[in-house]
Amino acid sequence: MVVVEQLDTVLITGASAGIGAAYADRFARRGHPVVLVARNEERLEALALRLSREYAVKAEVLAADLTVPDERARVERRLSADDAIGVLVNNAGIEGGPALTQTTPDAVQAMIELNVTAPSRLVAALLPRLLARGRGSIINIASILALAPELFDGAYAASKSYVLSYTQTLHKEVAARGIRVQCVLPGVTRTAIWNATGGVDAFPPRMIMEVDEMVDAALTGYDQGELVTIPSLVDGAEWKRFEEARRHMLPELSRSVAADRYKSDIPEDA
Ligand SMILES: NC(=O)c1ccc[n+]([C@@H]2O[C@H](COP(=O)([O-])OP(=O)(O)OC[C@H]3O[C@@H](n4cnc5c(N)ncnc54)[C@H](OP(=O)(O)O)[C@@H]3O)[C@@H](O)[C@H]2O)c1
């Protein structure tokens, strides 16, 4: 008798459009059952139908607004209870809204709820089960703005710096326990996220990547076991040098005495 191993189910947030829909397509194409999360149930149903027909996989819809605690809790419960789910793609995100000088407390919080709170809560819900079985993967979608806050207004870049830093700490905590973690830093990618800010075509064409190209590159990085994947970065050694420079500072970042340049030149008894 041939025993066909059941591949892990992949739960993807923000799967109704753009990058998340492309992830759903690619994981389903690889034979993974998928659970699709976003607010627009109709779009999710249409995608689920296409994926199940095209790739003969189970594709399920879990409609939820991840900024609404009760709805987010349904996704958290699913992640913590469903033993079939072994991969989480934390992709749902919104652009940051107005500049920091023009934003409102509610607007900045709404962005943080989706870009920061939701992925952190979903990982916290899933992790105990993955750790118990000693395998699984978490893919977090950040942005190149995590490395380039001066290129954009508002708190969006800061939310993506959180995702990068969070993923690096997560990797440190779980890598030796069988859990794969990846942070993806897309550059400008042609999706509807840009519609609110004048459309993606405001950028020069050489800066805009198509969604499929971005997700295929990110999944190649995933297959190669990368912790941080920057699909646009031509010379991957640049990221390695950046990380080496950062790590070089680590022993100096906490010391009992202040650095000489912060010592006053004026003697105390003068
Ligand atoms: N496109 C880019 O240039 C780019 C660059 C760097 C990083 N990113 C990141 O990539 C990720 C995906 O963005 P995208 O470009 O694919 O954007 P998108 O086309 O606008 O898709 C965003 C997805 O998130 C879902 N979503 C939005 N608000 C939600 C909420 N409150 N609850 C649940 N789901 C919600 C949307 O579905 P519903 O409306 O149905 O809820 C949609 O499926 C984001 O984290 C974004 O920050 C994008």
Side-chain angles (χ1 to χ4, degrees):
M1 188 178 76
V2 180
V3 179
V4 180
E5 198 195 340
Q6 177 69 50
L7 293 175
D8 279 341
T9 296
V10 183
L11 187 143
I12 301 144
T13 69
S16 65
I19 293 168
Y23 264 104
D25 180 276
R26 295 313 194 256
F27 272 114
R29 186 188 286 183
R30 290 176 176 210
H32 290 267
V34 289
V35 179
L36 310 176
V37 177
R39 293 166 304 180
N40 189 324
E41 196 162 4
E42 213 174 300
R43 293 186 72 155
L44 292 176
E45 292 288 2
L47 178 61
L49 188 63
R50 179 178 76 75
L51 297 180
S52 55
R53 280 191 181 149
E54 215 160 301
Y55 304 122
V57 295
K58 192 171 168 205
E60 200 186 324
V61 167
L62 181 51
D65 184 331
L66 293 171
T67 65
V68 174
D70 285 354
E71 298 189 26
R72 191 176 55 213
R74 279 195 280 116
V75 183
E76 291 169 15
R77 280 197 296 276
R78 182 68 187 268
L79 286 167
S80 63
D82 183 348
D83 275 333
I85 297 177
V87 182
L88 167 64
V89 183
N90 263 321
N91 162 78
I94 45 170
E95 56 89 31
L100 295 176
T101 49
Q102 287 157 8
T103 196
T104 62
D106 287 346
V108 78
Q109 186 183 338
M111 187 277 295
I112 289 169
E113 284 283 333
L114 186 62
N115 292 15
V116 172
T117 307
S120 312
R121 289 191 61 106
L122 297 192
V123 170
L126 171 68
L127 212 47
R129 209 170 42 68
L130 293 192
L131 289 170
R133 69 178 198 163
R135 68 186 170 85
S137 299
I138 294 166
I139 298 173
N140 291 328
I141 308 300
S143 161
I144 55 103
L145 292 173
L147 305 175
E150 53 277 89
L151 293 187
F152 217 59
D153 285 342
Y156 177 82
S159 78
K160 294 304 186 178
S161 295
Y162 173 90
V163 174
L164 173 59
S165 165
Y166 174 91
T167 311
Q168 289 170 312
T169 303
L170 184 62
H171 172 74
K172 184 204 69 150
E173 290 191 26
V174 304
R177 301 178 66 182
I179 316 297
R180 286 273 328 275
V181 172
Q182 182 197 25
C183 190
V184 178
L185 276 60
V188 179
T189 310
R190 188 184 301 284
T191 71
I193 203 170
W194 294 103
N195 291 356
T197 50
V200 75
D201 288 315
F203 292 94
R206 65 175 177 77
M207 285 181 68
I208 308 168
M209 194 177 284
E210 300 302 324
V211 176
D212 286 349
E213 171 121 353
M214 202 293 287
V215 171
D216 287 337
L219 281 170
T220 300
Y222 173 78
D223 292 338
Q224 291 172 356
E226 278 189 345
L227 168 59
V228 175
T229 297
I230 310 175
S232 296
L233 189 66
V234 175
D235 180 4
E238 286 203 73
W239 168 255
K240 291 203 175 81
R241 285 196 290 273
F242 178 82
E243 275 292 274
E244 275 161 21
R246 186 180 66 78
R247 289 212 185 96
H248 188 72
M249 284 192 295
L250 297 186
E252 305 293 323
L253 292 180
S254 182
R255 295 172 1 126
S256 57
V257 289
D260 284 350
R261 69 186 178 286
Y262 299 122
K263 297 273 174 65
S264 168
D265 290 339
I266 307 161
E268 267 180 19
D269 55 356

